[in-house]
Amino acid sequence: MVHMVHMVHSREETALRYKTLIFDLDGTLLDTLQDLAAATNYTLGKHGFPLRTVDEVRMFVGNGIRKLIERAVPAGTSVEVQEQVYADFNVCYKVHCADTTCTYPGVVELLQQARALGCQTAIVSNKADYGVQELAKQYFPGLLDAAIGEQAGIAKKPAPDMLLAIMAKLGADKASTIYVGDSDTDLLTAANTGIPCIGACWGFRGRQFLIEHGAMLLADKVEDVLPLCR
């Protein structure tokens, strides 16, 4: 009898409250910063604009490529020129989106463990959809049920539309879904969707930034994510 109770207790310890885990991509699953900074500076240089530091680019990303370009170009740059820079960035980044990009330590194992526990896993990112699909295929083959990036016809984060679209595709409800991201945009997206968000402290913004922007659940390292889902 004692042995049976122990077995039940063990199952309870490994059971997860959240059965659908949705992740941001840049700064959460993948360290893409160097490739984003390289493409940004290549494009800025092509147009004769001052280059940006990696730390500046770190704070520019998270709201899609258009916003990255808007923040990176000099103040007062015309909309027409911004569109040219945006187009040139996309040409460069399509070719060089994975030159130095790598998974954060423990990410692949996290996805494997989540799926072994019967969870669905997905990506929702403001990165251009071509980049999301390419990187998801390259770094996470067989480990995702769905992935979506910025595309025409669907409002990007922090609007809830992308998250809701993925949840509908997966048949997931709010009570069993949790989001994981590294930025204030991710926190706001989850709040707008009505689901909790785990702040990824290893990402582009860091622990203190996430606390200052209202994060209630914090994962200091990748291995902390699943325990927060129980």
Side-chain angles (χ1 to χ4, degrees), residues 195-219:
I195 62 174
C197 183
I198 296 173
C201 298
W202 62 83
F204 292 169
R205 299 291 192 267
R207 190 179 217 275
Q208 189 58 40
F209 180 95
L210 290 168
I211 291 173
E212 291 170 357
H213 286 81
M216 301 298 291
L217 297 171
L218 294 166

Side-chain angles (χ1 to χ4, degrees), residues 5 12 40 46 59 61 73 104 109 135 138 152 156 164 167 174-175 204-205 223:
V5 171
E12 288 176 349
T40 298
K46 180 177 180 179
M59 299 307 294
V61 299
V73 299
Y104 286 102
E109 292 80 4
L135 293 172
Q138 180 171 341
K156 65 180 185 291
L164 291 172
M167 290 169 64
K174 293 181 181 180
F204 292 169
R205 299 291 192 267
E223 291 77 10

Side-chain angles (χ1 to χ4, degrees), residues 40-41 43-45 47-52 56 60 67-79 81-82 85:
T40 298
N41 281 331
T43 311
L44 291 174
H47 288 265
F49 293 146
L51 305 187
R52 295 292 193 167
E56 284 178 315
F60 293 163
K67 184 60 71 172
L68 164 61
I69 297 305
E70 178 184 321
R71 292 165 173 164
V73 299
T77 301
S78 70
V79 173
V81 172
Q82 287 187 40
V85 177

Side-chain angles (χ1 to χ4, degrees), residues 92-186:
C92 175
Y93 193 64
K94 280 181 180 178
V95 177
H96 298 286
C97 67
D99 287 359
T100 64
T101 285
C102 59
T103 58
Y104 286 102
V107 159
V108 170
E109 292 80 4
L110 166 62
L111 294 175
Q112 291 171 336
Q113 290 165 11
R115 294 175 72 80
L117 290 170
C119 295
Q120 300 183 103
T121 54
I123 290 172
V124 170
S125 171
N126 276 343
K127 179 188 287 292
D129 192 62
Y130 70 78
V132 171
Q133 302 305 328
E134 175 60 33
L135 293 172
K137 180 175 66 175
Q138 180 171 341
Y139 290 96
F140 310 115
L143 294 177
L144 297 167
D145 295 289
I148 187 174
E150 182 183 8
Q151 54 189 264
I154 183 167
K156 65 180 185 291
K157 302 183 299 183
D161 302 45
M162 298 172 79
L163 264 180
L164 291 172
I166 284 288
M167 290 169 64
K169 180 176 181 178
L170 299 178
D173 60 26
K174 293 181 181 180
S176 62
T177 301
I178 194 164
Y179 189 57
V180 185
D182 70 306
S183 73
D184 49 329
T185 300
D186 295 316

